[in-house]
Amino acid sequence: CTCKSWSDLIGSSGFVSTHLHRNVTKHAHVYLLCLHHPNFECQNDNDDPYDIEELQWSLFSNGTFVQFSNLSHPLENTEHYRIYGSSNGLVCISDEILNFDSPIYIWNPSVRKFRTTPTSTNINIKFSYVALQFGFHPGVDDYKAVRMMRTNKNALAVEVYSLRTDSWKIIEAIPPWLKCTWKNHKDTFFNGVAYHIIEKGPIFSIMSFDSGSEEFEEFIAPDAICGPWGLCIDIYKEQICLLCRYYGCEEDGMEKVDLWVLQEKRWKQLCPFIFPWDDWNVTIGISIDDELLMEIRDFDKGVANLYLC
């Protein structure tokens, strides 16, 4: 009797929502999921066809980067896959180089289960560019994957996958301001909305697509952003933010990353991140604790380290 009642309780949508909300607000059970070589000191000869790199998935501490546990990948081949989003412990993985027919997997590493999304019947033409994003939409209480595809003639197709219905839906209404020549740069996914940095001539802007309401919006980037180099989009304190490492720092021996957040559809510039100067640092994004996550490469040793600022 107890087993059945507890099973009914933890399987209810109310319990699941409460449990997830508690973990999110307390930042509990947060890890970095990495695909890496089992031996971190191992050097591979990329010119040797017989020197095959064996990779594995592991969880690492979000704060100390210490390896926490190894994971069994849901597929036998681990070499040419990458992560396209994660939310509440679910991870979306697919081919490193996406095609319109690339298999997409929603993976729960904790329970070692995964679901393969059905093959879309909406699209049957070749695309020159494919973008994939994944996350949870609290407004519709569903996990969504958004796939955007462009042809060489700048035709745009958008599809939305629903985990609840296990089906794809094509978006018919594409706004006129997207029916032109533009370049796509970095992207992110937040609260069910897909965000992309796009470049139309000399203008940079943020394109957003709500996977619940299926509506597009455009936000012109701040005037100070004039190139894609060192430009990132991420989440800072529950707000969409832009990170730009383009301008020098006034302090000697230091570097800076400028920071803007999107508030009420307007950009507000905040204090920049300032850190010691280094030739080979790369901005990765913002951590869940609102710290700047950077990669600093040491080409002499052939390694790279993660840093929080």
Side-chain angles (χ1 to χ4, degrees):
C1 296
T2 301
C3 181
K4 184 179 185 306
S5 64
W6 284 11
S7 177
D8 293 340
L9 173 63
I10 65 175
S12 65
S13 59
F15 183 91
V16 172
S17 298
T18 302
H19 176 67
L20 291 177
H21 178 73
R22 176 183 178 276
N23 285 343
V24 169
T25 54
K26 292 189 175 183
H27 293 178
H29 311 296
V30 176
Y31 299 97
L32 296 174
L33 178 60
C34 302
L35 181 64
H36 64 92
H37 196 284
N39 182 0
F40 290 101
E41 304 301 325
C42 180
Q43 299 274 334
N44 285 94
D45 184 357
N46 295 326
D47 296 325
D48 184 356
Y50 298 101
D51 186 12
I52 300 174
E53 186 177 21
E54 296 180 358
L55 303 175
Q56 74 176 46
W57 293 87
S58 295
L59 291 177
F60 291 79
S61 166
N62 181 57
T64 65
F65 305 139
V66 173
Q67 189 172 0
F68 178 74
S69 67
N70 296 334
L71 295 172
S72 298
H73 194 278
L75 305 169
E76 294 182 1
N77 180 8
T78 65
E79 291 190 33
H80 303 292
Y81 283 83
R82 60 169 286 194
I83 296 172
Y84 289 93
S86 66
S87 183
N88 297 336
L90 297 184
V91 182
C92 179
I93 57 176
S94 187
D95 293 341
E96 186 175 7
I97 300 176
L98 286 172
N99 293 306
F100 76 96
D101 57 352
S102 293
I104 300 172
Y105 306 94
I106 311 301
W107 178 32
N108 187 332
S110 298
V111 296
R112 272 57 170 186
K113 292 182 179 181
F114 71 96
R115 175 184 291 183
T116 305
T117 65
T119 302
S120 171
T121 58
N122 298 317
I123 307 296
N124 56 6
I125 60 177
K126 294 290 184 180
F127 290 90
S128 61
Y129 171 80
V130 181
L132 176 64
Q133 295 163 280
F134 170 80
F136 180 69
H137 197 308
V140 297
D141 192 26
D142 193 9
Y143 293 87
K144 301 279 191 175
V146 176
R147 182 164 54 188
M148 295 189 179
M149 299 159 286
R150 293 177 63 202
T151 67
N152 292 326
K153 297 182 179 180
N154 297 318
L156 178 67
V158 179
E159 285 188 303
V160 177
Y161 169 77
S162 164
L163 186 65
R164 178 186 296 162
T165 63
D166 192 30
S167 62
W168 289 94
K169 177 183 179 181
I170 192 161
I171 306 302
E172 303 285 354
I174 304 297
W177 50 269
L178 281 176
K179 297 178 180 179
C180 62
T181 301
W182 50 273
K183 295 180 181 179
N184 188 85
H185 296 289
K186 295 186 178 181
D187 56 56
T188 192
F189 197 89
F190 179 58
N191 281 345
V193 182
Y195 295 89
H196 290 256
I197 299 175
I198 63 174
E199 178 183 358
K200 295 189 290 185
I203 304 298
F204 284 82
S205 63
I206 309 303
M207 171 189 67
S208 74
F209 171 74
D210 191 317
S211 61
S213 65
E214 301 175 358
E215 295 178 349
F216 291 87
E217 278 193 275
E218 183 180 25
F219 308 97
I220 303 300
D223 294 338
I225 295 176
C226 54
W229 188 86
L231 181 61
C232 292
I233 183 169
D234 214 315
I235 314 302
Y236 180 74
K237 295 185 177 180
E238 299 294 309
Q239 300 169 102
I240 290 296
C241 75
L242 288 175
L243 299 162
C244 180
R245 195 181 140 215
Y246 188 80
Y247 299 97
C249 184
E250 295 78 10
E251 299 181 38
D252 290 338
M254 304 296 285
E255 277 190 89
K256 73 170 182 176
V257 172
D258 289 307
L259 172 66
W260 291 266
V261 295
L262 188 62
Q263 294 182 348
E264 298 179 353
K265 301 187 178 183
R266 288 179 166 272
W267 295 106
K268 179 181 179 181
Q269 188 167 12
L270 304 182
C271 293
F273 291 96
I274 297 178
F275 48 89
W277 178 83
D278 189 283
D279 274 334
W280 301 109
N281 60 43
V282 178
T283 302
I284 297 178
I286 301 290
S287 75
I288 196 170
D289 296 314
D290 298 317
E291 296 174 306
L292 185 68
L293 183 62
M294 296 188 300
E295 173 190 355
I296 298 184
R297 300 171 181 172
D298 187 333
F299 287 98
D300 293 333
K301 296 181 180 179
V303 298
N305 294 309
L306 290 175
Y307 286 86
L308 289 172
C309 175

